[in-house]
Amino acid sequence: MPAEPRREPIIMLPPVIVVLGGAMLLIEALSAFVLNEMQQVNLLIWLGFIPARLIAPDQFPGGLLPLLWTPLTYDFLHAGWEHVLGNVIWLVIFGTPVARRYGTVPTLVIFFVSSLVGAIAFAISEFNSVAYLVGASGGIAGLTGAAVRFIFQPVLMGTDPETGAPVPLGRHMATIREMLRSPAARTFSIIWVVINCLVPLAPLLIGESADIAWQAHLGGFFTGLFLVPFFEHPHVEEAPPPTA
């Protein structure tokens, strides 16, 4: 009896990326099509990150208590479809290689720790304002920083011990020095940092402020950049790193 042809999965993305992106899209759909205006405000108050709670907790429902979860739950709220779709696309592009290399748990750790650091960075710079933080940019920036450590590196090759055939081992995890020596990784990182550093100067450059949480972007990016080596698998480094 002939074997049945192998069925390829409909969705080729890692499950953790599908779940994260799906949750963002689902919550945005609920906010846009199900919740009324007052419910949308309550969603923001209880799940969005509001640094002003630290200095005036009595002015917000729940006081300080929501600070236990809002530095993470703000990831799943967005300021409209353009915002959430942009973040989901970025998540797919840079989260997928991280998830395929390290798996579900490390991907979630990088994502949420980067989100937390991004929220802290936002709070430090917006401490005396009533600004609030929504969007998954901090966590996605962390996955971006993690991916930059290896996606621009050459694929390492090994040899199958039985057949002698060449076998791809994966991409080398670059040190910071090696990353900065790579033209692609260096250029990408510099552009990322410079663009986000220019956001606070938007009123001078374009005449109006840009509602972009550049603090969360930078905090998340550098968190992922330095956190990802802790999840590196020893077998990926079975071949020596490429020389410049």
Side-chain angles (χ1 to χ4, degrees), residues 94-146:
F94 290 97
T96 296
V98 175
R100 286 178 174 166
R101 185 179 180 101
Y102 300 110
T104 297
V105 173
T107 299
L108 291 175
V109 170
I110 294 171
F111 179 80
F112 284 115
V113 172
S114 299
S115 299
L116 176 60
V117 174
I120 293 173
F122 181 81
I124 291 173
S125 61
E126 301 289 344
F127 194 79
N128 293 320
S129 74
V130 292
Y132 59 89
L133 178 62
V134 295
S137 300
I140 296 172
L143 295 175
T144 302

Side-chain angles (χ1 to χ4, degrees), residues 14-70:
V16 64
I17 301 301
V18 174
V19 170
L20 286 174
M24 296 172 198
L25 294 171
L26 176 61
I27 292 176
E28 182 61 29
L30 289 174
S31 178
F33 303 121
V34 177
L35 303 183
N36 59 39
E37 186 175 348
M38 181 58 66
Q39 290 170 329
Q40 291 174 352
V41 171
N42 286 329
L43 187 68
L44 175 62
I45 290 174
W46 287 99
L47 297 183
F49 179 65
I50 307 173
R53 286 184 184 274
L54 293 166
I55 57 176
D58 296 339
Q59 296 184 14
F60 300 93
L64 292 173
L65 185 62
L67 291 176
L68 294 176
W69 60 80
T70 54

